[in-house]
Amino acid sequence: MWSYEKKLQYPVKVSTCNPTLARYLMEQYGGADGELAAALRYLNQRYTIPDKVIGLLTDIGTEEFAHLEMIATMIYKLTKDATPQQLRDAGLGDHYVSHDSALFYNNASGVPFTAAYIQAKGDPIADLYEDIAAEEKARATYQWIIDISDDPDLNDSLRFLREREIVHSQRFREAVEMLKEDRDQKKVF
């Protein structure tokens, strides 16, 4: 089903070690509106969505895993040279004690990922509106991280991810309109 190319979807560069920025990025790694939740939500929803939209959910869900890989790379690069004291100063002391430098699916506040983040109602239009909301929340979060980041190299990658969220939201909006048209057509039996 998937073909893995051993490169990131978009290059990730960081200017300097910055554990505080890494902590903020954890929101997009293991948070409710992050890339893991999005990937799992879309790939799960495709089993109860009309055939004409399955491919869209598969494509975007798979791309979200590529975004997750980019976020993981960012966090790793921002923390790989950090001392335990720098991690503590950035609010990552608890993370360091539990995981050392390993990535763990939690949000910026340290709350672990939960399957409760994944929404699936079984109504195609309701699910797609949930997906639109998820993409818009992710877009807003990327913008807020860019706003507080002082790393121009990293911001380039973050802008790429923010723009992809906009594209995904637009694609989901198109799918909603397509399903509404089908729903509203007069059915003759």
Side-chain angles (χ1 to χ4, degrees):
M1 179 171 167
W2 285 303
S3 171
Y4 180 69
E5 195 173 328
K6 293 186 178 187
K7 69 177 190 173
L8 295 175
Q9 184 182 15
Y10 190 86
V12 170
K13 297 177 187 166
V14 302
S15 300
T16 184
C17 175
N18 189 335
T20 300
L21 190 52
R23 190 180 97 227
Y24 299 148
L25 284 167
M26 287 178 181
E27 190 64 36
Q28 294 298 77
Y29 192 66
D33 303 312
E35 302 295 354
L36 178 63
L40 295 175
R41 176 184 301 115
Y42 307 152
L43 293 175
N44 182 60
Q45 288 174 350
R46 67 194 177 132
Y47 292 100
T48 56
I49 202 101
D51 288 347
K52 60 174 50 176
V53 184
I54 289 173
L56 175 66
L57 288 171
T58 303
D59 291 348
I60 295 176
T62 303
E63 185 177 344
E64 299 294 358
F65 279 126
H67 297 174
L68 186 69
E69 184 179 31
M70 289 177 64
I71 294 295
T73 301
M74 291 174 192
I75 294 169
Y76 171 75
K77 287 183 173 188
L78 288 166
T79 59
K80 71 182 176 90
D81 296 323
T83 66
Q85 183 61 49
Q86 288 174 308
L87 293 170
R88 189 176 358 194
D89 292 346
L92 291 172
D94 292 343
H95 180 92
Y96 175 75
V97 168
S98 296
H99 308 289
D100 188 37
S101 61
L103 275 72
F104 187 76
Y105 293 109
N106 56 259
N107 68 13
S109 298
V111 177
F113 181 83
T114 173
Y117 295 159
I118 303 166
Q119 298 298 316
K121 191 67 176 168
D123 177 273
I125 293 174
D127 282 344
L128 287 169
Y129 276 123
E130 170 65 29
D131 300 343
I132 292 165
E135 293 295 327
E136 292 299 333
K137 289 184 276 186
R139 176 202 48 79
T141 302
Y142 279 123
Q143 184 59 55
W144 297 329
I145 294 170
I146 290 166
D147 291 346
I148 62 171
S149 169
D150 60 355
D151 188 325
D153 291 330
L154 184 67
N155 286 350
D156 179 56
S157 299
L158 293 172
R159 280 190 290 276
F160 169 82
L161 291 170
R162 180 195 60 203
E163 296 306 311
R164 294 305 301 159
E165 304 301 341
I166 293 168
V167 170
H168 295 168
S169 177
Q170 290 169 339
R171 298 284 315 278
F172 286 139
R173 289 171 200 274
E174 292 165 4
V176 165
E177 293 308 312
M178 187 170 41
L179 293 181
K180 281 181 176 180
E181 286 175 16
D182 287 353
R183 178 192 66 189
D184 296 340
Q185 282 182 354
K186 186 173 184 178
K187 306 269 193 269
V188 178
F189 298 96

